Amino acid sequence: MTRPLPGNVVTIVGAGLAGALLALLLAQRGYRVRILEKRPDPRDSRGDSGRSINLALAERGIAALRRAGLMDRIADLLIPMRGRMVHDIDGASSLQPYGQTENEVIHSVGRAALNVALLEQLQRQPAVELRFGQACLGVRPAYGTLQMRDLNSNEAYDLALAPTIATDGAGSAVRASLAALGEISQREELLDHDYKELQIPAAEGRQLDRHALHIWPGSGCMLIALPNPDQSFTVTLFLARRGRDSFETLTDPTQLLPFFERQFPGARQLMPNLAADFAANPQGFLGTVHCRPWAFGGQAFGGQLLLLGDAAHAIVPFHGQGMNCAFEDCLALVDLLDSGLGWSEAFASFEQQRRPNTEAIARMALENYAEMRESVLEPAFQRQRQLALALERRYPDRFIPRYAMVMFHAGIPYAEAERRGAIQQTLLQRMDLAGLRAGDAAFEDPLAGYDEEITRLLPLIPAAPAAARE
């Protein structure tokens, strides 16, 4: 296991979820860590209401939190959700389980509460310097420094870049500075849909199953709700930015309330404060960040600078993997350092290892939006889903639905889940067109014709590494 030289300090820009977890993992390995955050300490102030949707913690994120020894400490913050509760416009609802075992659940967790828990644990580490109100002004390659400003004193100061890890989110100031200097190429692909956070109060929330993620698909839009510990639900509206029935046109209750009555009548009955919440909460945008490179070496950068998490590869939230992917980033980096690599080598290897996987989950997250918004109520989707579950039971070491690979199998890289998922989807479509139906008496015999093809196209899934199971 590597150890820093005496006096050597790792600087992390951004004390959000990824930055705080990475700092904790490094401190547990004996590194001295300085973590700088622009915002005030969230333990002393209320979070940014309406800033972000609730988070879904799945196996990849759990593996990282387990490695840091945090799962027991955050257990009270988590609400297990065993599936999607899909509500149609007529008021009927049906649960689509995420998996086939009681362990295949995802967990609703509040971003602010989880961030506070991470910071409290981080504060217990003696080798960590945690400073709030510290704004990053940019990178200064000519000096090998990071330029900062203390917002408490308004004093500007420089820090050496050796080594620095930027975990300052999708709107990363470090990435923006590098782009302005021409050191990276970056592209932000914004969706034409934005989001707004709303609320189902506890009194009405008791009418909903609190162990499910609730979805109200609409025409070109979608409403989801995730449970909170106080029986309330955090609701998120995904809606076109412009056009008819959009954020541009729903400007007052006379347009907003009839829209909800048309699109989400069941949810509307549970939201007595809809108009006030809609007016008060900010409208957020959604997009995917692509940039290259993430890792910087050479004398100009002090040898070591890395973008990690959303700062490198922000994605849309429709697969519930933004936080999980960033936490997996943290594990990947510390594993490289544990293997004996120095900072520059570890940073370069991290980018090489993680880039194909983050690109894969970015694509899958976009595809999952169409599934959640439109496909979940289609008969073909439901038939093929039942076929997929039947195939998983028949070939448990070869055929796992793509959603389950992403959410519950941390040992399967995102890129491999995407590759296998494409093969599996082709098979499912062919079986569906051939009239095979899971549960029919004729299902087993015709299925035998696919045995050889499945064995040939889908090699055995390797066992998860021991570290992922600990």
Side-chain angles (χ1 to χ4, degrees):
M1 187 179 296
T2 58
R3 288 290 185 268
L5 296 172
N8 216 19
V9 177
V10 185
T11 298
I12 296 177
V13 180
L17 297 175
L21 178 62
L22 180 60
L24 180 59
L25 288 166
L26 290 172
Q28 290 172 342
R29 285 159 170 74
Y31 293 92
R32 296 181 61 209
V33 182
R34 175 197 297 120
I35 183 165
L36 307 170
E37 171 58 54
K38 180 178 180 179
R39 297 169 300 160
D41 189 336
R43 295 167 296 177
D44 300 332
S45 58
R46 297 183 63 183
D48 297 329
S49 176
R51 185 181 72 87
S52 62
I53 62 177
N54 263 34
L55 302 171
L57 178 65
E59 186 56 37
R60 295 171 197 271
I62 289 171
L65 292 169
R66 189 181 295 127
R67 186 86 70 85
L70 283 173
M71 282 305 294
D72 288 343
R73 290 181 171 85
I74 66 167
D76 291 345
L77 305 179
L78 307 180
I79 301 174
M81 300 181 294
R82 63 188 185 278
R84 299 169 175 168
M85 186 70 73
V86 182
H87 303 260
D88 68 25
I89 198 164
D90 296 324
S93 61
S94 60
L95 181 70
Q96 298 179 356
Y98 289 129
Q100 305 199 66
T101 73
E102 62 181 14
N103 296 323
E104 289 181 319
V105 298
I106 61 177
H107 303 268
S108 176
V109 62
R111 177 191 295 271
L114 182 56
N115 202 177
V116 166
L118 283 166
L119 292 173
E120 288 176 345
Q121 188 66 15
L122 187 61
Q123 196 73 63
R124 297 187 178 99
Q125 297 292 324
V128 172
E129 178 190 3
L130 184 55
R131 299 180 61 193
F132 294 93
Q134 308 300 308
C136 175
L137 303 180
V139 180
R140 306 180 74 191
Y143 301 95
T145 61
L146 192 69
Q147 190 174 26
M148 304 292 298
R149 182 177 298 280
D150 186 329
L151 299 180
N152 305 300
S153 65
N154 203 34
E155 177 185 358
Y157 61 96
D158 283 359
L159 291 174
L161 275 171
T164 296
I165 305 168
T167 58
D168 52 340
S172 170
V174 175
R175 188 184 73 243
S177 170
L178 292 168
L181 293 168
E183 297 289 347
I184 66 171
S185 61
Q186 73 165 351
R187 185 175 81 258
E188 298 183 28
E189 295 180 349
L190 294 182
L191 286 186
D192 56 7
H193 283 207
D194 288 350
Y195 74 90
K196 183 166 289 219
E197 191 173 278
L198 305 167
Q199 196 79 4
I200 293 176
E204 288 76 14
R206 292 186 177 90
Q207 301 177 43
L208 296 176
D209 183 342
R210 66 189 305 267
H211 292 292
L213 184 152
H214 294 262
I215 302 177
W216 290 266
S219 176
C221 55
M222 180 176 72
L223 200 69
I224 68 170
L226 278 75
N228 295 312
D230 66 355
Q231 306 291 329
S232 70
F233 281 75
T234 298
V235 180
T236 307
L237 170 67
F238 299 98
L239 181 67
R241 190 178 307 114
R242 297 184 179 87
R244 182 180 177 184
D245 287 343
S246 67
F247 280 113
E248 181 181 54
T249 59
L250 301 180
T251 55
D252 65 59
T254 63
Q255 290 94 31
L256 175 68
L257 300 182
F259 166 78
F260 264 74
E261 293 288 354
R262 291 193 308 272
Q263 295 278 10
F264 317 115
R268 169 68 186 98
Q269 296 172 14
L270 303 173
M271 304 172 71
N273 304 318
L274 171 60
D277 288 346
F278 193 92
N281 290 341
Q283 178 179 328
F285 64 87
L286 301 160
T288 305
V289 170
H290 304 273
C291 75
R292 186 182 295 270
W294 303 342
F296 301 84
Q299 186 174 0
F301 289 97
Q304 301 121 8
L305 174 63
L306 178 71
L307 304 176
L308 182 144
D310 282 357
H313 50 72
I315 62 176
V316 295
F318 305 114
H319 217 312
Q321 284 294 294
M323 170 184 65
N324 293 285
C325 182
F327 282 1
E328 194 173 62
D329 276 0
C330 297
L331 270 193
L333 180 59
V334 297
D335 283 346
L336 289 167
L337 293 170
D338 287 351
S339 75
L341 295 182
W343 289 108
S344 293
E345 295 82 5
F347 287 176
S349 295
F350 170 86
E351 179 170 1
Q352 182 179 22
Q353 176 191 120
R354 292 296 291 163
R355 184 177 289 281
N357 292 301
T358 61
E359 290 174 350
I361 190 56
R363 290 187 292 267
M364 290 189 286
L366 286 166
E367 291 168 8
N368 213 46
Y369 185 29
E371 177 178 306
M372 294 173 70
R373 191 181 66 206
E374 299 165 0
S375 301
V376 290
L377 293 175
E378 294 178 357
F381 172 85
Q382 297 182 44
R383 290 195 306 268
Q384 290 172 28
R385 183 175 177 278
Q386 291 305 313
L387 283 170
L389 295 175
L391 288 172
E392 183 181 21
R393 291 190 293 271
R394 184 179 178 98
Y395 308 97
D397 54 356
R398 292 185 187 274
F399 193 108
I400 300 174
R402 191 181 82 173
Y403 185 88
M405 284 191 282
V406 169
M407 303 301 284
F408 308 128
H409 293 266
I412 301 177
Y414 288 125
E416 178 63 5
E418 183 184 41
R419 186 191 73 82
R420 297 179 75 103
I423 295 170
Q424 293 176 175
Q425 185 57 34
T426 298
L427 289 169
L428 291 171
Q429 289 171 343
R430 285 172 48 205
M431 295 170 77
D432 185 35
L433 289 172
L436 290 177
R437 300 290 179 261
D440 288 354
F443 179 73
E444 292 294 340
D445 289 340
L447 182 61
Y450 291 90
D451 284 357
E452 182 179 348
E453 187 173 9
I454 288 174
T455 301
R456 175 170 52 84
L457 294 176
L458 297 171
L460 289 171
I461 295 170
R469 302 191 302 266
E470 292 171 357

